[in-house]
Amino acid sequence: MLRMMRKFSVNALKSSSLCNEHLYFRKTKMRITSVTQKNCSLRNYSSPPGDVKSLRSVINPHISRIRNIGIMAHIDAGKTTTTERMLYYSGYIRTLGDVDDGDTVTDFMVQERERGITIQSAAVTFDWKDYRINLIDTPGHVDFTVEVERCLRVLDGAVAVFDASAGVEAQTLTVWRQADKHQIPRICFLNKMDKTRASFTYAVESIKQKLKTKPLLLQLPIGEAKTFRGLVDVVTKEQIIWKPDLDDGKNFEQKLLLEADDPNLFQEVQDARNTLIEQVADLDDEFAELVLGEYSENFDLIPADKLQSAIRRVTLAQKAVPVLCGSALKNKGVQPLLDAITMYLPAPNERSYDFLQWYKDDLCALAFKVLHDKCRGPLVFVRVYSGSLKPQSAVYNINKSCTERMSRLLLPFADQQIEIPSLKPGNIALTVGLKQSATGDTIVSSKASAVAAARRAGRDAGEEKRSTSDVESLLLAGVEIPDPVFFCTIEPPSMAKQEDLDNALSCLQREDPSLKVKLDPDTGQTILCGMGELHIEIIHDRIKREYGIETYLGPLQIAYRETILNAAQATDVLDKTVGDKRHFVTAELEVRPRLGERATTKPVIEYAASVIEMLPKELQGAIENGITNSCIQGPLLGFPVQDIDVTVQSLTVHPDTSHTMISACVSRCLQKALKKAGIQILEPLMNLEITVSEDHLSAALADLAQRRGSIQEIQSRQDNRVVVAAVPLAETMGYSTVLRSLTSGSATFTLQLASYQALNSQEQSALLQRRMGLV
Ligand code: GDP
Ligand code: MG
């Protein structure tokens, strides 16, 4: 019965629009085990799920044995299933979970909340052979790309999981590009090789074409789709054959592939190995020398370990990407994938971080995820880059300029947490007790240490002195958070609940920096701003379920932008006497539309030569504050103003004038100039990618035409068509429901902010009228 209920609720979740990684994350029941460094005794150890010995011996493994890895995948490619198998084979869970039954470790179920203390996990730790693997969760939905980016900062390598029957799908492409930006070495895992229509060659081709990368085929599948039963390691020429489907995958036969076993396969492997050797030799000089020297006559004699270390070098240098295959669901190929993670992905000390030189051996850590636990308050996931972190100690948060006390440090092993006495560089842990720290904050040992690091950084930059606030921009700068595209009002059921709601929202914001909360200055209402329809829905849902507050959301509205069409000038005078002080400012500003680089709400500020000569340095901050603040609310509809240049042409200030008054005058002056410059409203334009079967294609296209969509390309992907289009965000509301009914649920889509485009004059005046009507 319970199993049926679980199954039902998973399916219900999956089919609802709330189906997403956030909801699927694990909520683990807390089991805390304590390990002290001296005698390594284990306490409170209820039903140890893993190999106790291995936990005991390695609280802080050597840095070269740590792998901080993310798994990235399009939704449904099999990330959860693969993770689950990894935990099973490494001994941290005893039974195999099944996503479809809702009993996997890294997915969480709503009902689990009701049972005791639960926490969401952002990272899970386990050991494989002699390596410590920290698997960091990256959410699959596009609404959460900020989360993905945040995770990418703390991981050193990644596994991209693909559905071998679908090849590269939209979300993987997005995350792949983000990983490019952060220069993260990757390996690819072609999952679902057991599926009808699974195709190794097709998937490899799609990696080559779409990801524009060089795949290194380290394995060849034995059989495909229904006949898939194992694989051949191209490097060692060993074949691994698993027992038939019902087995848990721990039993397999591994032996050298001989020509007599299967002459065709033998030849294929031989060819694949030669290709691999040539590819690697092309990319790695050291290996090329070896190949051309000693082994030029016979590639067969090249030792596997030489080839493996060359593959490792080209992977770390991101010149190519190893490709492996398997079927997580059918328990095949996961152990070799784990081996490949340890073999080809970098240890933390093989990645270079500029800021490390400024900290030397002092503590430098990054808070990368905050979770709220009802009993213990905020739990902060941190990664240590240098120095060490200890429980019962004070730390300094650079971003918040505050000192905080940390009470405990925990390692997030699969479904238990182990208390540890210290955390060394390269490792990840969960801290208890930090109350102020939020996602993206840099944590050091003390203010003095931050100042010292800033001084070193300043020296490097050739400057005399640096304030601590500059450290922030120099060191572990936070994730770039795109501006939210949707917003709506949120109201508590009664005024009495407003305080609880504010509290819930501030907790949620610490967890998720892409959620913004504002107060409407006119109505006093709370406004929720998010990255997508789904994002806001999830927040609404979490407030209800996690904080027990039933809230009402206003209609979802679009976060437009404003820009200017022409250049214009304005002057403004402020003359106020407060007490016995006279505040007197005159300002003259010019605004111009920015050409070239687009879509930034940060105005470029310049000063006329006559101003810069006279201007005391300390007033510059006040002026720039005034300009920046003015750009947050455009003069037409109060949306952020983008792509403008501002020149301060003249400024006079009476000596008694406060900085606030200067900002106020400059701000008002800019509003005047903007109004004169002719305001253009811009709307968010989204990239839409729909995967749909041939027979539903025309219905999807007809619908798209009514949504002001412009179709850029229609590709074929196996039996499906993939429509790539651009569509205004305003036309995408409720799209998931519409598309589902148009295509009998067979289509999937992804949406992503592409740019902001100008509304035409009709649309703009219609929007203005609608807004007037609303007010
Ligand atoms: P995620 O969304 O990437 O986390 O994917 P899940 O692990 O939740 O899997 C999505 C669906 O694909 C589930 O129904 C799984 O049972 C199924 N699945 C996962 N791995 C495989 C596989 O290797 N073969 C097949 N045929 N199905 C799989
Ligand atoms: Mg999943």
Side-chain angles (χ1 to χ4, degrees):
M1 182 62 194
L2 186 65
R3 199 168 167 95
M4 270 177 63
M5 273 171 61
R6 285 173 144 209
K7 189 153 193 157
F8 167 73
S9 89
V10 173
N11 290 337
L13 259 180
K14 282 209 154 182
S15 60
S16 86
S17 57
L18 290 181
C19 160
N20 81 96
E21 296 297 316
H22 248 77
L23 288 188
Y24 279 106
F25 280 8
R26 162 74 167 161
K27 288 255 160 175
T28 45
K29 212 165 165 186
M30 291 293 309
R31 270 209 296 267
I32 299 192
T33 307
S34 163
V35 178
T36 57
Q37 196 130 47
K38 269 192 195 127
N39 57 13
C40 294
S41 68
L42 297 173
R43 279 179 283 154
N44 308 336
Y45 204 88
S46 56
S47 79
D51 176 4
V52 180
K53 240 199 257 147
S54 71
L55 300 188
R56 199 188 290 198
S57 56
V58 276
I59 297 158
N60 276 300
H62 189 268
I63 191 163
S64 63
R65 301 237 158 221
I66 299 176
R67 297 289 179 272
N68 293 314
I69 304 302
I71 296 196
M72 49 204 221
H74 191 84
I75 225 150
D76 270 359
K79 191 173 77 170
T80 305
T81 313
T82 309
T83 308
E84 193 67 12
R85 281 2 176 214
M86 289 179 173
L87 293 176
Y88 180 73
Y89 297 130
S90 57
Y92 287 88
I93 50 170
R94 285 195 163 147
T95 49
L96 274 180
D98 185 336
V99 204
D100 307 298
D101 290 343
D103 50 7
T104 58
V105 169
T106 47
D107 277 0
F108 95 71
M109 291 299 308
V110 183
Q111 303 99 305
E112 275 191 9
R113 275 168 210 283
E114 271 99 49
R115 295 191 238 134
I117 316 154
T118 55
I119 65 145
Q120 257 181 332
S121 112
V124 56
T125 294
F126 60 91
D127 291 345
W128 176 249
K129 299 187 176 164
D130 288 330
Y131 290 84
R132 164 69 42 86
I133 299 181
N134 294 313
L135 211 61
I136 294 143
D137 205 352
T138 50
H141 194 277
V142 187
D143 278 5
F144 303 104
T145 42
V146 175
E147 283 231 32
V148 177
E149 188 127 334
R150 172 163 87 217
C151 300
L152 290 181
R153 281 181 175 251
V154 289
L155 43 90
D156 301 312
V159 178
V161 175
F162 300 87
D163 176 338
S165 70
V168 178
E169 295 170 273
Q171 177 60 14
T172 318
L173 190 64
T174 313
V175 186
W176 192 270
R177 289 193 192 122
Q178 284 172 318
D180 280 341
K181 187 170 129 196
H182 292 271
Q183 303 184 337
I184 291 173
R186 274 147 273 177
I187 54 187
C188 295
F189 180 62
L190 306 180
N191 187 32
K192 305 204 183 183
M193 283 301 298
D194 62 293
K195 229 174 126 176
T196 343
R197 287 205 290 277
S199 162
F200 185 75
T201 2
Y202 167 77
V204 169
E205 198 51 36
S206 130
I207 288 174
K208 227 186 268 176
Q209 301 297 333
K210 296 221 171 104
L211 303 180
K212 311 260 179 279
T213 185
K214 292 199 184 85
L216 302 177
L217 307 188
L218 305 192
Q219 298 174 340
L220 292 185
I222 303 181
E224 214 161 54
K226 270 199 183 126
T227 61
F228 178 68
R229 57 190 185 283
L231 41 92
V232 190
D233 183 325
V234 172
V235 178
T236 61
K237 292 205 250 175
E238 277 178 331
Q239 58 173 339
I240 307 176
I241 311 246
W242 276 269
K243 291 266 157 62
D245 284 358
L246 292 176
D247 194 77
D248 72 354
K250 281 190 175 168
N251 305 308
F252 51 81
E253 188 185 50
Q254 183 166 11
K255 58 169 198 192
L256 204 62
L257 175 72
L258 302 174
E259 189 160 12
D261 296 336
D262 182 339
N264 285 343
L265 183 63
F266 184 82
Q267 192 52 47
E268 265 178 54
V269 173
Q270 193 77 359
D271 294 346
R273 192 170 193 268
N274 289 341
T275 311
L276 179 65
I277 290 169
E278 280 165 16
Q279 270 181 310
V280 176
D282 266 351
L283 300 169
D284 185 80
D285 291 345
E286 189 182 329
F287 186 66
E289 251 171 57
L290 188 83
V291 171
L292 295 176
E294 254 174 278
Y295 302 104
S296 58
E297 297 301 316
N298 191 351
F299 283 2
D300 278 355
L301 299 178
I302 297 176
D305 64 332
K306 296 274 190 237
L307 180 52
Q308 281 159 344
S309 25
I311 295 171
R312 174 157 225 269
R313 286 194 299 272
V314 301
T315 309
L316 297 203
Q318 295 147 63
K319 291 177 182 162
V321 187
V323 175
L324 300 109
C325 65
S327 161
L329 187 69
K330 299 290 163 68
N331 310 322
K332 296 180 178 74
V334 177
Q335 298 97 327
L337 174 62
L338 283 165
D339 288 340
I341 289 175
T342 59
M343 209 181 299
Y344 302 121
L345 291 177
N349 56 346
E350 287 170 299
R351 305 264 298 149
S352 68
Y353 297 101
D354 286 348
F355 56 85
L356 282 183
Q357 49 177 334
W358 301 318
Y359 279 104
K360 306 223 155 126
D361 293 329
D362 279 358
L363 170 70
C364 175
L366 179 72
F368 67 94
K369 177 103 188 173
V370 180
L371 303 166
H372 285 270
D373 182 77
K374 287 218 178 73
C375 295
R376 294 172 300 167
L379 303 174
V380 181
F381 274 93
V382 293
R383 169 171 171 169
V384 174
Y385 290 87
S386 64
S388 77
L389 199 58
K390 292 200 171 54
Q392 304 294 346
S393 65
V395 289
Y396 182 73
N397 179 323
I398 297 184
N399 304 63
K400 300 282 182 312
S401 311
C402 71
T403 300
E404 290 207 82
R405 205 170 166 74
M406 184 177 48
S407 58
R408 296 195 291 163
L409 263 180
L410 307 166
L411 280 189
F413 277 109
D415 71 346
Q416 61 174 344
Q417 296 176 348
I418 294 195
E419 195 155 352
I420 51 164
S422 74
L423 188 68
K424 295 265 166 12
N427 225 338
I428 278 168
L430 199 55
T431 62
V432 186
L434 298 179
K435 300 241 159 13
Q436 307 290 320
S437 298
T439 296
D441 288 357
T442 300
I443 289 168
V444 298
S445 56
S446 64
K447 186 163 184 182
S449 150
V451 172
R455 212 173 285 131
R456 284 181 212 124
R459 235 186 352 246
D460 284 0
E463 291 165 39
E464 283 293 289
K465 251 178 45 209
R466 270 193 176 274
S467 67
T468 31
S469 64
D470 288 337
V471 176
E472 198 185 314
S473 58
L474 274 165
L475 307 177
L476 302 177
V479 183
E480 284 164 46
I481 295 166
D483 282 327
V485 289
F486 273 125
F487 66 97
C488 66
T489 55
I490 179 164
E491 278 175 24
S494 67
M495 284 311 284
K497 285 270 183 189
Q498 181 71 45
E499 204 180 318
D500 291 347
L501 175 61
D502 291 345
N503 173 48
L505 287 173
S506 76
C507 288
L508 289 169
Q509 271 186 289
R510 284 183 59 198
E511 288 181 25
D512 172 7
S514 63
L515 167 71
K516 302 247 163 76
V517 179
K518 295 195 295 200
L519 264 191
D520 185 318
D522 302 326
T523 62
Q525 281 173 307
T526 308
I527 300 183
L528 216 54
C529 312
M531 308 303 300
E533 214 176 347
L534 179 62
H535 188 200
I536 291 194
E537 250 175 80
I538 299 291
I539 298 293
H540 184 213
D541 190 60
R542 290 186 63 189
I543 293 172
K544 179 170 155 196
R545 287 192 287 107
E546 289 169 34
Y547 297 89
I549 314 168
E550 187 76 59
T551 52
Y552 305 106
L553 295 187
L556 209 52
Q557 298 184 52
I558 290 175
Y560 292 96
R561 292 270 179 92
E562 300 185 15
T563 191
I564 52 174
L565 295 168
N566 313 302
Q569 279 187 334
T571 50
D572 199 80
V573 182
L574 180 145
D575 190 352
K576 249 190 197 154
T577 306
V578 182
D580 56 357
K581 277 197 179 156
R582 181 170 176 216
H583 302 264
F584 179 83
V585 194
T586 65
E588 185 181 348
L589 301 180
E590 187 196 42
V591 291
R592 293 174 309 279
R594 167 128 23 108
L595 305 169
E597 175 212 0
R598 312 286 292 190
T600 156
T601 48
K602 233 183 160 153
V604 172
I605 304 170
E606 287 166 359
Y607 296 88
S610 55
V611 177
I612 206 83
E613 272 166 25
M614 313 287 294
L615 189 71
K617 262 249 167 327
E618 62 273 17
L619 294 192
Q620 212 165 317
I623 296 171
E624 291 177 9
N625 264 344
I627 293 177
T628 320
N629 284 340
S630 195
C631 287
I632 295 173
Q633 286 206 322
L636 197 56
L637 287 173
F639 290 111
V641 180
Q642 76 171 38
D643 300 328
I644 62 162
D645 290 345
V646 181
T647 308
V648 182
Q649 292 186 315
S650 76
L651 186 84
T652 31
V653 178
H654 189 278
D656 273 350
T657 312
S658 75
H659 286 190
T660 322
M661 293 295 180
I662 299 174
S663 297
C665 177
V666 170
S667 190
R668 205 165 63 186
C669 182
L670 184 64
Q671 287 284 319
K672 273 192 191 168
L674 289 173
K675 266 184 211 156
K676 281 196 198 165
I679 292 288
Q680 166 72 56
I681 301 283
L682 305 172
E683 66 175 339
L685 183 70
M686 311 301 282
N687 276 335
L688 170 66
E689 198 178 304
I690 315 168
T691 308
V692 60
S693 59
E694 182 76 55
D695 43 340
H696 291 113
L697 177 67
S698 55
L701 291 181
D703 171 69
L704 209 53
Q706 294 183 349
R707 295 177 184 269
R708 294 191 283 141
S710 64
I711 291 153
Q712 286 154 359
E713 203 184 344
I714 301 179
Q715 310 160 349
S716 297
R717 182 177 293 162
Q718 304 252 317
D719 291 351
N720 283 329
R721 297 313 224 45
V722 179
V723 181
V724 182
V727 58
L729 178 70
E731 306 288 344
T732 65
M733 295 217 205
Y735 187 59
S736 57
T737 320
V738 174
L739 189 67
R740 202 179 302 139
S741 69
L742 278 177
T743 63
S744 321
S746 68
T748 56
F749 73 98
T750 59
L751 265 179
Q752 204 190 354
L753 181 65
S755 59
Y756 287 85
Q757 74 171 2
L759 286 179
N760 66 33
S761 56
Q762 271 169 338
E763 288 160 354
Q764 180 156 331
S765 54
L767 173 69
L768 284 174
Q769 271 163 11
R770 271 204 309 279
R771 302 280 300 189
M772 306 286 200
L774 274 181
V775 176

